[in-house]
Amino acid sequence: MDLVNHLEGRLLFAVPKKGRLQQATLHLLAGSDIKFKRETRLDIALVKNHDIALVFLPAADIPTFVGEGRVDLGITGRDQVAEHEATSPSTDYSGVEEVLDLGFGTCKLQVQVPEKGGISEAKDLVGKNVVTSFTGLTEQYFARLEGHEVPNGFNGSGSPTKRKLKTKIKFVGGSVEAACALGVADGIVDLVESGETMKAAGLKAIDTVVTSTAVLIKSKHPSNEKLVNLIASRIKGVITAQKYVLCQYNIPRAKLDIGRHITPGKRAPTITSLDEVDWVAFSCMVEKERIATVMDELTSVGATDILVLGIENSRTD
């Protein structure tokens, strides 16, 4: 099939083609009932049940395609969005808008130096060699340390003006953590998730440039705003379902207020009278990470028949 000729009239949705965000993104799409089949070696997949085409791109490129209006929606890291905006400032017609924080892919873009070196503060790197994959954010960061005004505006041709830094920023596409050991850099600016890679390379973090999670972004002029809002609503529903469980239990009517206090619900609990006049039944959403503690508290005040049910999907405010 000639996919290019089947894109007309479809909303273009960019998703990571590989890397740390891809699997969670695919799970999110499945939960949102976005059905597709990606053919081997093809970076475009037509969605079967909506007028959408998925475009598989490197996460770092997605803000550019969305910001220029080449695609309508995208999922990438907030770090990548910030890097794009550092190098290509938004205008009335270009740039991206964040729709949702997706709550996965949490990491930090951090300034790192050798553990056994003499550098303990980021200002000690001013005038030295720094290696990174995020040159835009790194230049902004060191410009502030050096006392430059950020942003630095535009020159007569409409391009961002370059500020002269004492600090030498070098781009490396991968294995940034090896730069110090190889003598290429005095420090690096790189993403940190668990910190294991950083420690294994003999590095320590001395400052954070950006804290990042995966985000849903859209262009400023999407081709189908209604469909964008529908997809955003579905994704939000999946995220909420992942965060909450449904808790149901019975409790003496005399302890109604205690039940409300322990399980206030997302908006309010559903309370139903039982055939036994002195008892009521509660049903409410509880944050998944709190449910064990909530169950313990309910048991301690005399609640019985406590059930916890998973939520497959949701639509909530």
Side-chain angles (χ1 to χ4, degrees):
M1 179 188 292
D2 183 5
L3 290 177
V4 174
N5 292 324
H6 286 76
L7 296 182
E8 187 174 351
R10 288 180 179 266
L11 186 85
L12 300 185
F13 190 170
V15 296
K17 67 185 298 183
K18 59 183 179 179
R20 62 190 183 86
L21 302 181
Q22 188 195 45
Q23 197 56 48
T25 296
L26 295 179
H27 180 71
L28 205 57
L29 296 179
S32 303
D33 195 34
I34 295 176
K35 299 177 180 179
F36 68 96
K37 181 180 179 181
R38 183 185 178 189
E39 300 293 341
T40 305
R41 296 187 177 183
L42 289 181
D43 288 336
I44 297 175
L46 303 182
V47 174
K48 299 175 183 179
N49 55 337
H50 293 285
D51 289 331
I52 299 172
L54 299 180
V55 184
F56 292 84
L57 298 169
D61 294 341
I62 289 175
T64 299
F65 280 83
V66 175
E68 293 181 357
R70 308 299 180 184
V71 298
D72 303 286
L73 270 176
I75 291 177
T76 188
R78 186 175 281 126
D79 54 304
Q80 300 293 354
V81 175
E83 173 67 12
H84 171 73
E85 292 180 343
T87 56
S88 303
S90 296
T91 69
D92 291 340
Y93 302 99
S94 66
V96 307
E97 295 181 4
E98 183 176 320
V99 181
L100 283 175
D101 184 331
L102 302 179
F104 63 84
T106 301
C107 62
K108 294 179 180 180
L109 183 64
Q110 294 188 310
V111 183
Q112 303 166 43
V113 295
E115 181 75 41
K116 296 181 179 179
I119 297 175
S120 58
E121 295 183 87
K123 65 181 181 181
D124 297 332
L125 283 171
V126 170
K128 299 184 182 299
N129 294 318
V130 176
V131 162
T132 184
S133 299
F134 294 81
T135 54
L137 287 172
T138 302
E139 286 178 1
Q140 279 191 352
Y141 177 85
F142 281 97
R144 292 188 182 96
L145 284 184
E146 294 183 22
H148 292 273
E149 184 180 348
V150 177
N152 209 39
F154 293 84
N155 59 27
S157 65
S159 302
T161 54
K162 290 285 186 181
R163 56 185 79 85
K164 288 198 174 183
L165 297 177
K166 299 176 186 175
T167 311
K168 301 170 187 67
I169 311 297
K170 299 180 180 179
F171 174 81
V172 172
S175 300
V176 178
E177 69 279 355
C180 292
L182 295 175
V184 178
D186 300 292
I188 66 170
V189 176
D190 198 19
L191 291 178
V192 177
E193 291 182 75
S194 66
E196 293 302 317
T197 301
M198 177 178 66
K199 292 176 183 176
L203 301 172
K204 64 179 179 182
I206 56 175
D207 201 3
T208 297
V209 179
V210 169
T211 298
S212 179
T213 59
V215 290
L216 177 69
I217 58 175
K218 69 174 183 177
S219 74
K220 291 189 174 181
H221 304 283
S223 62
N224 188 334
E225 188 78 45
K226 184 178 179 180
L227 189 52
V228 166
N229 293 337
L230 174 67
I231 297 305
S233 175
R234 287 191 176 190
I235 290 176
K236 184 178 180 182
V238 175
I239 293 170
T240 300
Q242 292 171 346
K243 290 181 179 178
Y244 287 85
V245 292
L246 187 66
C247 182
Q248 298 178 337
Y249 62 92
N250 299 329
I251 194 169
R253 187 179 293 274
K255 296 183 178 180
L256 198 63
D257 289 340
I258 296 176
R260 286 196 184 102
H261 176 72
I262 297 173
T263 55
K266 199 167 186 295
R267 175 172 294 170
T270 300
I271 303 172
T272 309
S273 295
L274 298 180
D275 283 345
E276 292 187 43
V277 294
D278 294 333
W279 286 77
V280 294
F282 269 66
S283 180
C284 60
M285 294 172 67
V286 176
E287 290 179 349
K288 192 177 293 184
E289 63 184 21
R290 293 186 57 245
I291 190 60
T293 301
V294 167
M295 292 176 73
D296 293 339
E297 292 178 2
L298 290 172
T299 301
S300 70
V301 299
T304 63
D305 308 317
I306 304 170
L307 302 177
V308 177
L309 308 174
I311 301 173
E312 184 70 23
N313 212 325
S314 70
R315 292 292 187 277
T316 61
D317 293 336

